[in-house]
Amino acid sequence: MTRDSNSRPQGDPRTTDRIEIITIGDELLLGFTVDTNAAYAARRLADIGIVVARRTTVGDDLTGIETAVRAALDRTGAVLTSGGLGPTSDDMSKPAVARVFGRELQLDEEQLRRIEERWRKRFGGPLPATNRAQAFMPVGAEKLQNNHGSAPGVWLQDDAGRWVAMLPGVPREMRGMLDDTLIPRLRATSTGRVVRSRTLRTTGVPESALAELVRAMQPGLELPLAYLPSAEGVDLRLTSRELQSHQADALLEAQARRLTDALGAAIYDDGANSGQSDLAALVLDACRHRGLTLAVAESCTGGLLGARLTAIPGSSDVVLGGVIAYANAVKTDVLGVDLAALERDGAVSESVVLGMAAGARRVTRADVGVAITGIAGPTGGTADKPVGTVWIATDVQGRTASRRLNLIGDRDEIRVRAAQSALALVRASLPG
Ligand code: AMP
Ligand code: MG
């Protein structure tokens, strides 16, 4: 006997606060398909306070699926699978999960009629035998309606209230079924807790140094903190998993404020809004607010800084332009960098970067000049100035600041880090 998704299964599922996700498919193991389903499901489950305790990926293999589902069910009693529900021989989720629950597969006449009708409308003619497989359901299973494809999802539950929900692998169908059917059902049984995060963005301080500052905080943080480094800086994510919505928000706010106090200027976004701020946009806002215009002079970044700034809508009221001064002759002839200084100190030096920042202002009449010169590699490094040596400078209406950076990474990363560091220096150099 199979039940329709409208009727409740015997014995309500117990309160779900922890779940495991199992994604199924050889293509996932081989790396041909990126597992976006698990990421999507995890985010949606977090919204309703369900913690994803573990994610597993297995191939299209009956025993592999069975073993993984049994182990996950033993740990949490609540399992979401994606994939392996199709009509072909590599689709083995239903038989595998039926085995875990000790159930037979049987033909669901109603489902068969639905599939036959759908087939007739779309392709005409009789249903191929392989597609009949989609009409077999484990005994006692409940169908989860699929508004976005032919294969229904399957909900299977035992007397103890332990359950497995099987969703299709096709991402559009998986998302649709999750949102339409499963999330509303799980929300109804959830504890009211939320899994909520807040992300603070930092730049200019290495991960290990940030961790040192966090460790020194007295008292320590009350929430777990994830360090998420990229070429632009380190994002810090606080996550609350145990609290009701308003308590979580209040604690995240308080902890974010303490982090901001502890880390100071390294933080450029305290996460109050999105935690996705672009430093370039913040620099533009800061200039606009003070009525300042800006121009760039770039050597090793070759226009990256200008591109970051002009990618922001509305940048034209702040950004006047810039010079890509790659060759020394452009540094001297266009930007007016002192030839003697260049010959004495080299193109990657404080005197040259200051000359470039001043030159950017002179040729554009901007209030703020910002300059970058460095060695992005992979060649061109020396003992004194290895690859990753970058000088940045700002000239704000004649008040200058400069900094030598020793950046790590490949050519791309060094260029991205250099542009980000220059933006941070502008932000730090603007009048209060
Ligand atoms: P299946 O339901 O296993 O037949 O999967 C159908 C298709 O959905 C596969 O060919 C993949 O392209 C895609 N797919 C399956 N699993 C995932 C997943 N976890 N993330 C993203 N795409 C997937
Ligand atoms: Mg598959």
Side-chain angles (χ1 to χ4, degrees), residues 24-25 27 60 83-84 90-91:
I24 297 160
E27 71 277 18
D60 294 301
D90 64 352
D91 292 310

Side-chain angles (χ1 to χ4, degrees), residues 245-262:
S245 176
H246 62 282
Q247 296 170 314
D249 288 343
L251 184 58
L252 284 167
E253 170 69 30
Q255 299 280 284
R257 211 171 313 129
R258 294 205 47 225
L259 262 181
T260 312
D261 289 344

Side-chain angles (χ1 to χ4, degrees), residues 23-24 27-28 33-38 82-86 91 168-171:
T23 51
I24 297 160
E27 71 277 18
L28 300 172
T33 301
V34 175
D35 185 353
T36 55
N37 286 356
S82 120
L85 278 188
D91 292 310
V170 178

Side-chain angles (χ1 to χ4, degrees), residues 2 73 76 91 129 251 253 310 378:
T2 62
L73 208 54
T76 57
D91 292 310
L251 184 58
E253 170 69 30
T310 55

Side-chain angles (χ1 to χ4, degrees), residues 216-228:
M217 283 173 71
Q218 284 299 338
L221 286 173
E222 289 168 53
L223 291 173
L225 186 68
Y227 294 80
L228 309 165

